[in-house]
Amino acid sequence: EVQLVESGGGLVKPGGSLRLSCAASGFIFSSYSMNWVRQAPGKGLEWVSSISSSSSYIYYTDAVKGRFTISRDNAKNSLYLQMNSLRAEDTAVYYCARDQVAAAGTSERWGQGTLVTVSS
Amino acid sequence: QSVLTQPPSASGTPGQRVTISCSGSSSNIGSNTVNWYQQLPGTAPKLLIYRNNHRPSGVPDRFSGSKSGTSASLAISGLQSEDEADYYCAAWDDSLNGPVFGGGTKLTVL
């Protein structure tokens, strides 16, 4: 069974840092592109970042460029999101999502999400 | 403000057919396929329709999608109470090099 389990969320002060992790199981992790998608409280979905299966291609939404870094460890079946210089507007549930094969941006499997709250 | 435009709400009675629209531009819907996601209350999103009109395994054929030009729509026939959820359209955007989402449509089954 495909499983994506996020962790690492929590309360952090503005300007602080947090590292999110996503543990994948039930599929060949190294064969899939992965994404982080966030959802602010009561708001819609917003794509944050994508990474290709071999980490060759990495993309970010403009709002997080220069502050967030996506990475993956295929040997550990894990996806990460290093978040620095956090702002109040980064407060959201962060979902880890797996793309369909050869279908960038089509997130066919999602984790349950981890809540990040940026507040003083 | 979301890149793709959806109505904030829609409603219908059990058994009815409901459609949800999604409007974009030449850099997203106009040149790429459209996906639809369903988010039940308190849960993670779920892929409902991909590549404009394909259903993942397990999605009932009551759900269908279509696309024309820079717009797309999701149709739900034989509406059921369990269809009450938020629905999001999405498409790859060539300018942003990533997927963009609609603001979501909250479907209420009366």
Side-chain angles (χ1 to χ4, degrees), chain A residues 39 44 47 95 100 106-107 110-111, chain B residues 35 37 39 44-45 50 88 92 99:
Chain A
Q39 185 171 34
W47 168 75
Y95 294 102
Q100 281 186 336
T106 300
S107 294
W110 298 65
Chain B
N35 303 317
Y37 298 90
Q39 187 174 32
Y50 66 96
Y88 295 90
W92 186 266

Side-chain angles (χ1 to χ4, degrees), chain B residues 19-82:
Chain B
T19 61
I20 297 171
S21 62
C22 175
S23 177
S25 67
S26 58
S27 65
N28 41 67
I29 294 179
S31 51
N32 296 291
T33 58
V34 177
N35 303 317
W36 290 89
Y37 298 90
Q38 177 192 58
Q39 187 174 32
L40 297 170
T43 70
K46 166 191 164 185
L47 182 63
L48 192 67
I49 297 287
Y50 66 96
R51 265 194 281 142
N52 302 330
N53 54 17
H54 293 79
R55 288 184 306 277
S57 174
V59 173
D61 59 8
R62 303 186 294 104
F63 295 90
S64 62
S66 63
K67 175 190 141 176
S68 178
T70 58
S71 295
S73 64
L74 172 71
I76 309 171
S77 60
L79 199 61
Q80 299 179 5
S81 58
E82 54 261 40

